[in-house]
Amino acid sequence: MTTAKDIMHPGAQWIPAHETLDRAAQLMRELDVGALPIADAEERLTGILTDRDIVVGCVAMGHDPARTTAGEMAHGTPRWIDANADVDAVLFEMQSHQIRRLPVIEDKRLVGMISEADLAQHLTDGQLASWMEQVYAHG
């Protein structure tokens, strides 16, 4: 059985909720990623910050990314998957919530992220097409 841990990109890093968006953007550049999980003081997942969130939710709204925190951008219930979950559970979680990035948690700790690129490397063409149809569906 292929698990979330088998297909994830290991070594994901948190951004603390109190960090500013300019620091988050710098960390994204350093790590060459487009999203960072947001953690509270107890390292619990509170959301995911994307590069698009910074641009559309902060800069385009006229806010200062040096004065806006990652925690201010965390909205809704964060989604995640256990490292031992099978691929079908990963796909279901991502499809049912129409999300393109999914943190992987093991023993209450962030161990990786699953992104579209990870799915493309590990799914059949049919699985990938079905996933894309569900995640990108509007309505």
Side-chain angles (χ1 to χ4, degrees):
M1 172 182 83
T2 303
T3 66
K5 192 170 187 174
D6 296 329
I7 65 172
M8 72 179 189
H9 182 85
Q13 291 187 16
W14 299 105
I15 185 85
H18 67 271
E19 281 289 354
T20 59
L21 297 186
D22 61 341
R23 178 63 191 125
Q26 293 164 4
L27 186 56
M28 286 180 189
R29 183 189 65 223
E30 290 167 17
L31 298 172
D32 193 27
V33 297
L36 293 169
I38 303 169
D40 65 13
E42 287 81 40
E43 289 196 352
R44 289 180 305 213
L45 182 67
T46 61
I48 295 181
L49 178 68
T50 67
D51 47 8
R52 187 176 194 284
D53 293 332
I54 295 170
V55 172
V56 175
C58 180
V59 176
M61 300 296 291
H63 302 294
D64 182 355
R67 295 180 185 265
T68 306
T69 66
E72 291 174 72
M73 301 300 291
H75 305 291
T77 303
R79 309 307 310 176
W80 56 274
I81 195 84
D82 185 86
N84 294 315
D86 68 17
V87 172
D88 289 336
V90 170
L91 295 176
F92 178 80
E93 186 69 20
M94 293 175 85
Q95 288 170 333
S96 63
H97 298 285
Q98 293 187 306
I99 55 177
R100 293 176 274 176
R101 298 170 180 100
L102 188 62
V104 180
I105 307 293
E106 183 174 54
D107 298 324
K108 299 182 181 180
R109 309 231 10 115
L110 177 70
V111 294
M113 289 280 282
I114 297 174
S115 69
E116 294 168 288
D118 299 314
L119 295 179
Q121 291 176 5
H122 293 92
L123 299 180
T124 67
D125 289 344
Q127 287 175 308
L128 190 58
S130 176
W131 177 85
M132 290 179 70
E133 183 177 304
Q134 292 296 316
V135 170
Y136 289 101
H138 298 323

